[in-house]
Amino acid sequence: MQTKTDGVNDNDSHCAGPLAAGSSGLVWLESAHSEQLALCRELEEIADSLPSSVNRQKCIYAAKALGPLISGAHHYEEQVLFPWLAENLTIPHLQETLHRLKFEHCEDECFAEELTDALLRLGSGDNVNMEAVGYMLRGFFEGLRRHIAFEREHILSGL
């Protein structure tokens, strides 16, 4: 799984560029969503394996992918997509919605940091509270799936 942090800064100086110039920005976002959903499936597999069938390598891989993938996607949305949406669309309550999504990004990134630590401990064989880690995993991937579904259904469907 590749993270989508590469090339994000290239778009920062032309916030409307990728979207206004064509579908490349939306293709990038769809790819980022797909990668995030693939990670959610991996996290769900880890949660389902608890407590007795943990694949430690999968935990470490997920831990290393989690932060860059989430922060890269959020950076793109906040620096490119959201400004373009605010400038070019007239959706009722759009500013409030974008503000809420940014707040969710902040929460998701903090949650991802905690989950990364838990996955690294789990992957290294440290003694962890399996019930707590399972709860964290499910809370994270279910919330991320809801966030992506909302963006697709209520924001991106208008494009």
Side-chain angles (χ1 to χ4, degrees), residues 82-152:
F82 292 176
W84 186 88
L85 290 171
E87 222 174 89
N88 293 287
L89 296 182
T90 54
I91 298 174
H93 309 289
L94 179 61
Q95 290 299 341
E96 293 88 350
T97 299
L98 296 178
H99 180 73
R100 191 189 91 220
L101 291 172
K102 286 180 184 180
F103 182 75
E104 287 180 14
H105 287 174
C106 182
E107 288 183 326
D108 287 347
E109 288 179 29
C110 291
F111 201 172
E113 286 180 24
E114 293 178 20
L115 187 54
T116 295
D117 291 340
L119 286 167
L120 288 172
R121 286 193 317 272
L122 188 61
S124 66
D126 289 352
N127 189 18
V128 298
N129 180 328
M130 295 289 186
E131 188 174 325
V133 172
Y135 184 78
M136 288 174 68
L137 284 162
R138 293 189 190 287
F140 182 81
F141 68 71
E142 288 174 2
L144 185 56
R145 285 174 175 161
R146 278 192 302 271
H147 181 92
I148 291 169
F150 179 84
E151 286 182 346
R152 286 179 168 177

